[in-house]
Amino acid sequence: MNGLNMFLEGPGLERRAVRLLRTERVPLDTLLRHATSKAAVALVDLHIMVDALGNVATQVDHEGLRYRFPESNAPWALMVG
């Protein structure tokens, strides 16, 4: 087995192969719209992905399944295969 392949699927079902660039520990309330006081103290991993052209996508949900490229307003879904 060669390992896992990761893709981000966006508008028009466009898929981009990505790899993990880095992971940051951030307060959960940075990923939630309506954070509770408990969420403010919880830390979660925020993943940052990069595609073959160097475009960087940042995680926008607390589950780690949706990402956003700076040039796109639409969320991109993580696909693993």
Side-chain angles (χ1 to χ4, degrees):
M1 216 181 237
N2 293 342
L4 295 176
N5 293 314
M6 295 187 293
F7 301 89
L8 290 177
E9 184 177 81
L13 300 179
E14 176 186 353
R15 287 189 186 153
R16 296 184 188 180
V18 293
R19 64 177 176 79
L20 182 63
L21 180 63
R22 70 179 178 269
T23 301
E24 299 174 2
R25 297 286 278 175
V26 298
L28 179 60
D29 64 349
T30 61
L31 296 175
L32 296 176
R33 291 189 180 123
H34 305 291
T36 65
S37 59
K38 286 184 182 179
V41 296
L43 293 177
V44 295
D45 289 335
L46 174 78
H47 301 294
I48 301 177
M49 303 288 193
V50 63
D51 69 9
L53 298 176
N55 299 309
V56 175
T58 304
Q59 179 182 335
V60 294
D61 68 345
H62 66 280
E63 293 93 358
L65 300 175
R66 290 185 178 72
Y67 293 78
R68 186 161 287 140
F69 288 101
E71 73 276 2
S72 174
N73 288 330
W76 291 62
L78 179 65
M79 303 177 71
V80 180

